[in-house]
Each structure stands twice: as structure tokens, then as C-alpha cells.
Amino acid sequence: NAILLSVLMLAGCATPSAQDSYSPVAELAKTRLAGKETRWLQSDKERQELRQIMNAKLSQPLTIDDAVQIALLNNRGLQAQYAQLGIAVSDLQAVSRLPDITLSLAHLREGDSLAVDRAISFDLLSLLTRPAARRLEQQNLEHVRLSVMMEMLNLATATRRAWIEVVAAKELEASAKQTNQAAQAARDVVERLMQVGNLSRLDLLREQALYADTQAELAQAQQQVILHQAQLTMLLGLWGEDSQYSLPSTLTSLPDSPRADNATESTALQQRLDVLAANQASQRLAQSLGMTRTNRFIDVLDLGYQRNSVSGQAMQKGYDISVRVPLFTGGTRQAKAQFLYQQSLDQAADTAIRARAEVRASYSSYRLAYDTAKHYQQHVLPVRAQIAEE
């Protein structure tokens, strides 16, 4: 009855396809990333469509939204993460089917006598534990999907940050170039004044030192542009001619007022994918612990049918059962599983605590950065501009 029930349960369980498992990832991109699109590229036709999209976006200065969109479509590391979904689905499909059978055939000859042994067997224990194994693989698939979602959101965040750093570095490079040109002009003026006796050589040396400093600062600014743009290009998955894209010359203006603090600790615990993934891992290990307890007393249970014949004798028919009892390793496996489960609970709790702390600190850091930028915009930069003009 147990065998029949296991067979019926396996037959009645539908397994999702790889595309079905990927759909929630694409939906999350639209909801969390302001309508952005991500694709799991699996054919040449889809790659050709991606090329058309990229050509259109790279033909003009790359905005921050277009950069995120290209990264979501073209980053090969993200595509490799999507393949993890296919691997997890394959594992689920493998335990959703009946176990494989083992066929054996032996020919034994003694003089003129020939003995032929035929046997067919399958893992009975594997069949009985198939429903539990399927639930375990379902939880593993959900865990993999959450991990893929986190990688996607992290890529979008890293791309936005890299775009901002590149454009900011370009602005600093332009400012350093202007300062260098002004220092060069000042040095030339002082040099002419010294030649007619209106300034001393000490004044000229000071201007030359200032000019040399601005040259070093300009070189450092140019190096920062190269480094930040290389990081952005890597995240976009671009190379060759595609890496020659252009960017806006300035960042967007600072908002007139800071955004409201809408984040709460409860929202973070409900929506943060790392918290959900940690909880999912604990559930998966709990299921695994149940499997370990099931296999504690019987590790292998094979049921087989034999049909043997010997020359000149009647046919032999029957069955055989193979049982392996883990007398020495069963307890250690269960203890290890128990420790792993307790570890996952502590890790899940630690992740939740970290999420709460990050939520509390995130908005404070944002307001400090906004207020500092506002202060520079209203007070520091106008004074610096007047000094530069003088």
C-alpha cells in the first residue's frame, strides 16, 4: 500500500518548467525596479533582439535608467545565475519520477553446464521517500529563486552606483582641467611680470608649484574616470566597440526636498529577500532533518526479482531484498543534520537583526548625505565659484 501510494503521489504531481520558475524573477524586476525588464536568453533569436535594444540605447548618451536596463539584459553573470533555476528545476523533476531500475545478467559456465542469472531490482527506500525528497527539492528551488532575485537587485543597485560614480568623476575631471588651465594662465602672467621686474622669482616658483599640483590632481581625476568607467562597463557586460559609449556630462540636480522615511522594520522583514532566503534555508534543512531521521535505521532497501537457469535443471524464480543498516554512521548523520538546522536558525535570526539595523541606519545616512550636498550647493560652491572668478 505504501508503494502504491508513493507511485500515485508521484504520478499526480506536476513539476514546473524552467520558464515557470523564472517568471517571478521577471515580475520582481518590473515591480521593484520601476518597470525594468530582464530576460533569460536561451536562443539566438533572443540575443539578436537584445542586440537591437542595446544598439538603440548605446547610440545616445547613456542615462542611468538605460544603464540598469542594459545590465539586466546583458550581464553574463546574471545569465549564469538564471541557469541555476534550470538546474534546480531539473533536480526537482528527477525526484518527481519513479526511481531507475537495475538490470543484471550473469553467464556462469562449468564444463558443459551453463548457468544464466537474470535480475531486475530498484531502490524501494528511494521510492518510499520520494514525496519527502520532492518537497525538499521544491524548497531548494524556492531558495535558488530568492538567491537569483537578490543577485538581480544587487546588480541593478551596483550599476546605478557605478553610473553615478563615473559621471561624478567626469565632472571632477572637468573641474580639475579648468583649475589646471587657470593655474597655467596664472603662472604665465607671473612669469611675464617677473621678467619686467614687478614680481620676484619666489612668486613665480609658487605659481609653478601650484600649476604642478593641479597637473597631478588632473591626472588623478582622469585615472578615476578610467577606473569607474571600467567598473560600469563590466557590469553592463560590454566589450569591444560597445564599450565606447557616451555618458551625460553632469549629474541630475539635487531634489528640492528629501524623500520621506517610509521604510519600517516590519516592512524590511517582510520584503527583504535575504531575510526570506534565510528563513527558506531553515525550512529546507528542517525537511532534510526529517529525511535523515527516516534513513537512520535503514540506509539502503533494494527489492529485486530473479530468474535463474542452469543447463539441464528447472528454472529458478524468486525475489531478493538487500538491506543496509547504518549501525555506526546513522547517529552521527542525524547529529550533524541537527547541528546544521540549529546553525540555520541562528543565521536566519542574525540576518533579521542585521536587516533591522540597516533599516534604522539607512535613512539617517541618506538624510546626512542630502543635507551635506544641500549645504555645498547653497554655501560652499557659490563661494568657491567667486574665488575662482577672482
Side-chain angles (χ1 to χ4, degrees):
N1 292 336
I3 298 176
L4 179 59
L5 180 60
S6 297
V7 173
L8 292 176
M9 290 181 64
L10 289 175
C13 293
T15 57
S17 65
Q19 192 62 36
D20 292 336
S21 299
Y22 166 74
S23 296
V25 180
E27 186 62 29
L28 181 71
K30 294 180 180 179
T31 56
R32 293 277 187 100
L33 300 176
K36 297 294 186 299
E37 180 186 11
T38 183
R39 298 181 184 179
W40 185 3
L41 305 177
Q42 302 183 61
S43 66
D44 292 338
K45 179 181 178 181
E46 292 174 334
R47 293 184 178 89
Q48 291 175 358
E49 293 175 354
L50 170 62
R51 168 49 56 184
Q52 295 176 357
I53 295 174
M54 290 176 52
N55 288 341
K57 294 185 179 300
L58 295 175
S59 62
Q60 53 191 354
L62 191 64
T63 66
I64 189 170
D65 288 331
D66 287 343
V68 173
Q69 182 61 86
I70 290 178
L72 292 177
L73 294 174
N74 193 55
N75 185 276
R76 301 303 290 269
L78 184 60
Q79 292 294 317
Q81 290 294 323
Y82 290 160
Q84 287 294 120
L85 285 172
I87 296 172
V89 169
S90 299
D91 292 338
L92 175 58
Q93 292 174 346
V95 299
S96 299
R97 295 180 172 89
L98 295 176
D100 295 330
I101 61 175
T102 301
L103 301 175
S104 63
L105 176 65
H107 280 244
L108 304 175
R109 183 179 296 276
E110 184 179 356
D112 295 334
S113 177
L114 175 64
V116 181
D117 296 341
R118 310 172 187 86
I120 179 172
S121 62
F122 68 95
D123 189 350
L124 180 59
L125 183 62
S126 175
L127 177 62
L128 295 176
T129 58
R130 223 58 169 182
R134 188 179 189 279
R135 290 192 296 270
L136 182 62
E137 290 299 336
Q138 285 176 326
Q139 292 176 354
N140 179 66
L141 174 59
E142 182 62 27
H143 180 74
V144 170
R145 181 158 47 219
L146 289 174
S147 299
V148 170
M149 289 177 174
M150 284 192 292
E151 289 294 331
M152 179 192 67
L153 296 181
N154 289 339
L155 173 63
T157 301
T159 303
R160 291 180 63 88
R161 181 181 295 112
W163 185 94
I164 292 172
E165 288 175 344
V166 173
V167 178
K170 284 182 174 293
E171 284 197 64
L172 291 175
E173 179 190 21
S175 176
K177 186 176 296 184
Q178 290 178 353
T179 303
N180 177 255
Q181 292 173 350
Q184 182 180 15
R187 183 205 62 179
D188 294 341
V189 170
V190 171
E191 185 176 7
R192 290 195 296 270
L193 291 175
M194 187 199 72
Q195 292 174 353
V196 297
N198 291 333
L199 290 177
S200 66
R201 180 170 177 77
L202 177 60
D203 294 325
L204 176 60
L205 292 175
R206 287 171 178 170
E207 292 299 326
Q208 288 178 336
L210 177 61
Y211 175 60
D213 288 340
T214 60
Q215 281 185 311
E217 292 174 357
L218 176 58
Q220 292 177 356
Q222 292 171 339
Q223 179 66 15
Q224 289 300 311
V225 172
I226 294 174
L227 294 177
H228 289 307
Q229 188 150 3
Q231 176 69 13
L232 177 61
T233 302
M234 180 193 67
L235 293 173
L236 297 177
L238 301 178
W239 61 282
E241 295 182 357
D242 290 337
S243 62
Q244 305 302 318
Y245 56 89
S246 61
L247 290 166
S249 58
T250 59
L251 293 170
T252 57
S253 302
L254 193 68
D256 295 333
S257 59
R259 61 174 173 81
D261 183 12
N262 296 323
T264 63
E265 293 183 16
S266 60
T267 302
L269 297 182
Q270 293 172 4
Q271 297 183 0
R272 280 186 54 139
L273 297 180
D274 55 347
V275 176
L276 297 177
N279 293 333
Q280 186 67 35
S282 297
Q283 296 175 9
R284 190 175 73 258
L285 282 174
Q287 184 69 31
S288 177
L289 179 59
M291 290 281 292
T292 303
R293 288 172 176 170
T294 301
N295 298 341
R296 180 181 180 184
F297 301 104
I298 297 179
D299 196 3
V300 173
L301 176 59
D302 290 339
L303 177 63
Y305 171 76
Q306 290 193 5
R307 185 169 180 266
N308 304 328
S309 62
V310 181
S311 300
Q313 298 182 13
M315 183 73 68
Q316 297 177 349
K317 300 178 181 180
Y319 66 90
D320 69 90
I321 298 177
S322 176
V323 178
R324 184 172 70 187
V325 181
L327 293 177
F328 306 106
T329 60
T332 57
R333 286 206 308 267
Q334 184 180 7
K336 178 181 178 181
Q338 186 67 46
F339 288 136
L340 289 173
Y341 177 61
Q342 185 60 48
Q343 181 189 52
S344 71
L345 292 179
D346 292 333
Q347 289 175 341
D350 180 67
T351 302
I353 292 173
R354 290 175 182 271
R356 291 177 181 271
E358 289 174 3
V359 168
R360 290 193 297 268
S362 177
Y363 186 75
S364 297
S365 299
Y366 164 76
R367 278 306 306 266
L368 177 61
Y370 178 87
D371 293 340
T372 302
K374 202 73 172 178
H375 172 72
Y376 268 84
Q377 184 184 62
Q378 295 178 347
H379 304 288
V380 178
L381 293 181
V383 174
R384 292 292 184 183
Q386 293 177 10
I387 293 175
E389 290 175 0
E390 293 296 329

